[in-house]
């Protein structure tokens, strides 16, 4: 359950980050793992899957130092999917918080 | 684990993917290593926080549509029991996947149960399969592979012996000359020197042949192991 849960949340996080601006893989991994612990390698399968689904497009961009990087860009479908996921998350977390709050009151 | 080890392991567990796809995935991870190195991290640190390559490849394969169909097909052909076993465990969803080719959404939305499925498969019937494969392989190796194998190894051995012997022929000629001075002929000495030269070439050649044969054997053994493990 825990792993599954994280996977779903990971998807939402990636979408949210890409909604702000385009990122390359490493950047996404860093930004997420700054906030909570993930096994970083699983971000890449996720990126591939969502790209295949047409939620992202990718392009290569040279960087000043080092090799060129693959940037991910949110498509319109991706944006719609984000809205849907975000809404689901809001409802979900509201529900859980509500339950926790009630539990705390009863004690 | 360093970068090379990580990428090699990832690559070998993604063998079922088409080559270009695999290359693309490896590129992504190479980029990750490169950026991490720029930030002053060691390869080992980066590999450790990426997690285990096998786990990653599982997730990658789970996202692959044709892959899943393939898995289902193999499961059905190998062990009909198997399929019923899994269907009872994951009742509602599983039947969809097994009977109809899954649509994009069905497969990719819950990648999780694909994993659980492969895991379930790999426990019970795969053991049975492994044993069968091991038996068959053992028989095949004994009957068909062993003969040529011995031939090849003997040829390699003979090559080395011949090369070494060629190199030492002048010594034998000289030794002969010392023992029976009357039989000494200059022609023989020159001939033996030619043989020495040939011997060196032969040994250099044998070195490469041995390496080549060694790699071949190692690969064949690895192939056997993979077959038994069902990778």
């Amino acid at each position: 359950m825990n792993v599954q849960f994280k996977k779903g949340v990971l998807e939402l996080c990636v979408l949210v980050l890409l909604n702000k601006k385009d990122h390359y893989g490493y950047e996404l991994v860093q930004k997420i793992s700054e906030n909570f612990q993930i096994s970083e390698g699983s971000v890449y399968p996720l990126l591939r899957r969502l790209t295949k689904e047409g939620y992202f497009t990718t392009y290569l961009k040279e960087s000043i130092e080092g090799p060129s990087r693959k940037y991910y860009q949110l498509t319109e479908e991706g944006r719609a999917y984000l809205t849907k996921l975000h809404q689901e998350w809001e409802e979900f977390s509201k529900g859980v918080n509500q339950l926790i709050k009630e539990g705390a009151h009863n004690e | 684990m360093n970068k090379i080890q990580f990428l090699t392991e990832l690559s070998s567990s993604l063998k079922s993917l088409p080559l270009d796809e695999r290359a693309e995935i490896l590129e992504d991870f190479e980029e990750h290593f490169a950026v991490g190195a720029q930030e002053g991290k060691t390869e080992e640190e980066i590999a450790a926080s990426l997690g285990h390559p096998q786990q990653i490849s599982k997730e990658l394969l789970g996202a692959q549509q044709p892959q899943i169909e393939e898995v289902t097909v193999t499961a059905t052909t190998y062990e009909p029991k198997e399929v019923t076993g899994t269907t009872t465990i994951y009742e509602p969803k599983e039947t969809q996947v097994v009977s109809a080719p899954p649509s994009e959404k069905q497969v990719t939305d819950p990648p999780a149960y694909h994993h659980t499925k492969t895991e379930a498969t790999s426990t019970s019937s795969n053991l049975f399969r492994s044993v069968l494969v091991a038996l068959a392989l053992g028989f095949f190796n004994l009957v068909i592979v062993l003969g040529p194998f011995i031939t090849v190894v003997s040829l390699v051995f003979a090559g080395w012996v011949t090369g070494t012997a060629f190199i030492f022929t002048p010594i034998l000629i000289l030794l002969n000359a010392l023992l029976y001075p009357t039989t000494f002929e200059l022609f023989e000495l020159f001939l033996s020197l030619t043989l020495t030269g040939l011997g060196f070439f032969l040994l250099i050649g044998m070195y490469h042949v041995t390496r080549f044969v060694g790699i071949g054997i190692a690969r064949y053994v690895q192939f056997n192991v993979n077959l038994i493990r069902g990778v």
Side-chain angles (χ1 to χ4, degrees):
Chain A
M1 156 71 189
N2 208 359
V3 177
Q4 268 333 98
F5 183 70
K6 251 186 195 169
K7 259 188 205 154
V9 176
L10 209 56
E11 209 167 290
L12 178 61
C13 292
V14 168
L15 287 161
V16 165
L17 284 170
L18 289 178
N19 193 29
K20 222 178 343 177
K21 69 182 183 78
D22 301 352
H23 288 284
Y24 55 92
Y26 190 89
E27 227 173 12
L28 287 170
V29 170
Q30 280 321 99
K31 287 228 156 97
I32 296 169
S33 61
E34 269 165 26
N35 288 291
F36 58 91
Q37 209 239 319
I38 50 165
S39 93
E40 300 183 353
S42 52
V43 174
Y44 288 95
L46 181 92
L47 287 173
R48 281 191 78 73
R49 185 161 58 78
L50 293 183
T51 308
K52 274 201 173 163
E53 306 245 298
Y55 296 148
F56 308 146
T57 52
T58 61
Y59 58 92
L60 282 179
K61 200 166 135 188
E62 302 291 326
S63 75
I64 313 141
E65 348 113 53
S68 54
R69 287 154 193 193
K70 195 200 239 178
Y71 278 78
Y72 294 84
Q73 184 177 35
L74 207 61
T75 60
E76 270 318 304
E77 281 123 318
R79 204 153 274 134
Y81 185 54
L82 167 61
T83 319
K84 184 184 143 228
L85 265 194
H86 187 197
Q87 206 174 345
E88 279 175 15
W89 168 257
E90 286 294 337
E91 281 164 26
F92 174 77
S93 61
K94 213 167 85 186
V96 174
N97 281 333
Q98 184 61 33
L99 282 173
I100 292 174
K101 215 156 78 185
E102 281 169 21
H105 273 303
N106 286 348
E107 267 182 288
Chain B
M1 199 184 288
N2 64 25
K3 173 180 153 188
I4 298 293
Q5 287 167 324
F6 182 92
L7 292 178
T8 320
E9 202 165 317
L10 184 66
S11 171
S12 69
S13 48
L14 290 174
K15 269 195 186 124
S16 48
L17 287 184
L19 218 64
D20 54 331
E21 186 133 18
R22 219 195 314 170
E24 225 177 278
I25 292 169
L26 291 178
E27 259 169 41
D28 287 351
F29 282 97
E30 257 176 74
E31 183 192 302
H32 187 92
F33 272 99
V35 181
Q38 273 172 27
E39 313 228 316
K41 287 193 190 164
T42 67
E43 289 182 359
E44 280 76 12
E45 280 170 353
I46 300 167
S49 45
L50 276 175
H52 206 279
Q54 239 132 46
Q55 177 59 38
I56 296 170
S57 66
K58 237 191 219 174
E59 284 170 32
L60 281 164
L61 295 177
Q64 234 64 42
Q65 195 184 353
Q67 202 48 40
I68 292 181
E69 279 176 304
E70 228 175 81
V71 167
T72 352
V73 169
T74 43
T76 18
T77 43
Y78 274 122
E79 280 281 287
K81 259 190 235 160
E82 185 49 47
V83 175
T84 44
T86 36
T87 27
T88 41
I89 302 174
Y90 315 96
E91 262 167 326
K93 275 180 186 166
E94 202 58 21
T95 30
Q96 283 180 345
V97 176
V98 174
S99 55
S103 80
E104 187 120 5
K105 267 277 146 38
Q106 281 173 331
V107 178
T108 40
D109 262 345
Y113 78 87
H114 167 61
H115 300 150
T116 32
K117 180 169 183 285
T118 29
E119 272 157 26
T121 324
S122 63
T123 48
S124 58
S125 87
N126 265 26
L127 183 69
F128 179 63
R129 197 192 76 94
S130 290
V131 171
L132 268 187
V133 169
L135 281 176
L137 263 183
F139 185 70
F140 176 78
N141 284 337
L142 197 69
V143 172
I144 295 175
V145 182
L146 189 64
F149 174 75
I150 291 175
T151 316
V152 167
V153 170
S154 325
L155 279 178
V156 168
F157 182 71
W160 280 100
V161 171
T162 315
T164 321
F166 274 11
I167 289 174
F168 287 113
T169 40
I171 296 175
L172 293 177
I173 294 288
L174 290 177
L175 210 65
N176 192 39
L178 278 179
L179 292 176
Y180 311 100
T182 48
T183 58
F184 180 73
E185 268 188 64
L186 213 52
F187 169 69
E188 282 184 344
L189 184 66
F190 288 137
L191 190 68
S192 69
L193 284 176
T194 321
L195 284 182
T196 309
L198 277 178
F200 277 119
F201 279 119
L202 195 58
L203 284 196
I204 293 171
M206 283 320 291
Y207 169 73
H208 291 290
V209 170
T210 312
R211 263 191 53 187
F212 180 73
V213 169
I215 292 172
I217 292 174
R219 282 218 185 129
Y220 183 72
V221 169
Q222 185 61 46
F223 162 74
N224 276 230
V225 170
N226 283 351
L227 218 58
I228 292 173
R229 279 174 57 201
V231 178

